[in-house]
Amino acid sequence: MGNLFVKKPKVTDVDKAILALKTQRRKLAQYQQKLDAVIEAEKQAARELIREKKKDRALLALKKKKAQEELLKQVDAWLINVEQQLADIELASKQKAVFESLKAGNDAMKAIQSEINVEDVQKLMDDTAEAKAYQDEINTILGEKLSAEDEEEILAELEDLETQVTVQDLPEVPPSAHEEIEEKLDLPDVPTKAPVTSDGEVSTKRKVMEEPLAA
């Protein structure tokens, strides 16, 4: 029951013309095959008649063969025309389909453009450009590189801070420790004058140094 409500496609005049041309092409192809068979048969008959020494009948067979060949040429021309017309119709159909697609696309484009306000588009473009410029400025600030001098200055400052922190973190020595160290180191005073030696002691030391050692 459902098939009764299926809508059949509408057959156009173009469809009818294409069907007629294809039918004619099929018939012409069949006629070609028939003519080829007749031509081959007349040719074979001429061979047999020549063997039988029937020259007149062989000549007649060749004439019939020639007539069929001329007809075959005509059929070939008809078939070429049919093929060309079919190709032209197919090309025209494709051109029409392309034209309709382009027209539909153009209509869709116009419908979309009618929904867009030029002022709104311009405002959107301006806002987008402004936002991009702002982001570029931020990227530039964040992406700036220090010069070599700035790098050296920062490293020097870092070392200075490390030194200060190290000194500040050293433990302080209590005052009592200083006093204990000074008491334990009870050393004699350094003499300020040269020692006094008598002339007799100097002579005795010299004499001892000058005497030879016993062998």
Side-chain angles (χ1 to χ4, degrees):
M1 294 294 294
N3 294 332
L4 297 176
F5 298 98
V6 176
K7 186 177 181 180
K8 295 182 179 181
K10 183 180 179 180
V11 179
T12 64
D13 293 338
V14 175
D15 295 332
K16 293 179 181 178
I18 292 174
L19 179 61
L21 288 171
K22 288 183 177 180
T23 302
Q24 189 64 35
R25 181 180 61 184
R26 185 181 69 255
K27 290 181 178 180
L28 288 174
Q30 293 173 352
Y31 194 30
Q32 277 182 327
Q33 295 177 358
K34 182 179 179 181
L35 290 174
D36 286 334
V38 172
I39 291 171
E40 185 61 28
E42 295 294 343
K43 186 176 181 180
Q44 186 63 29
R47 288 196 188 96
E48 294 296 332
L49 292 171
I50 290 174
R51 289 192 186 97
E52 295 174 1
K53 306 299 181 180
K54 298 178 181 179
K55 185 176 179 180
D56 294 339
R57 294 185 60 184
L59 183 60
L60 179 60
L62 291 176
K63 289 181 179 180
K64 291 171 63 178
K65 170 180 161 297
K66 181 64 175 177
Q68 297 299 319
E69 289 175 347
E70 293 296 326
L71 182 58
L72 181 59
K73 290 180 181 179
Q74 187 65 40
V75 173
D76 291 340
W78 293 341
L79 188 57
I80 290 173
N81 291 335
V82 171
E83 292 284 1
Q84 184 63 47
Q85 195 164 9
L86 280 171
D88 292 341
I89 292 174
E90 184 179 0
L91 178 60
S93 299
K94 290 182 178 180
Q95 289 175 342
K96 180 183 178 182
V98 172
F99 171 78
E100 291 177 351
S101 299
L102 292 174
K103 186 176 182 300
N106 189 36
D107 293 340
M109 182 66 70
K110 289 180 179 179
I112 294 172
Q113 290 175 348
S114 64
E115 299 175 0
I116 300 175
N117 191 339
V118 178
E119 294 180 356
D120 293 339
V121 174
Q122 186 62 44
K123 185 177 182 304
L124 176 62
M125 296 299 293
D126 294 339
D127 293 343
T128 303
E130 183 178 353
K132 184 177 183 304
Y134 179 73
Q135 186 63 42
D136 291 342
E137 184 178 357
I138 293 177
N139 294 336
T140 302
I141 294 173
L142 296 178
E144 285 181 349
K145 294 183 178 179
L146 298 176
S147 63
E149 295 179 357
D150 294 335
E151 292 284 354
E152 293 178 359
E153 183 179 351
I154 291 174
L155 291 175
E157 184 178 359
L158 177 62
E159 293 178 359
D160 186 35
L161 289 175
E162 289 178 346
T163 303
Q164 294 178 12
V165 171
T166 303
V167 172
Q168 292 175 357
D169 292 342
L170 290 175
E172 296 182 357
V173 180
S176 59
H178 287 287
E179 294 176 358
E180 292 178 0
I181 293 173
E182 290 178 356
E183 290 178 357
K184 291 180 179 179
L185 297 177
D186 188 9
L187 300 176
D189 296 335
V190 178
T192 57
K193 297 181 180 181
V196 178
T197 304
S198 62
D199 295 338
E201 291 178 354
V202 173
S203 300
T204 302
K205 290 180 180 180
R206 183 178 299 173
K207 184 179 179 181
V208 172
M209 294 178 62
E210 291 177 355
E211 288 180 357
L213 296 174

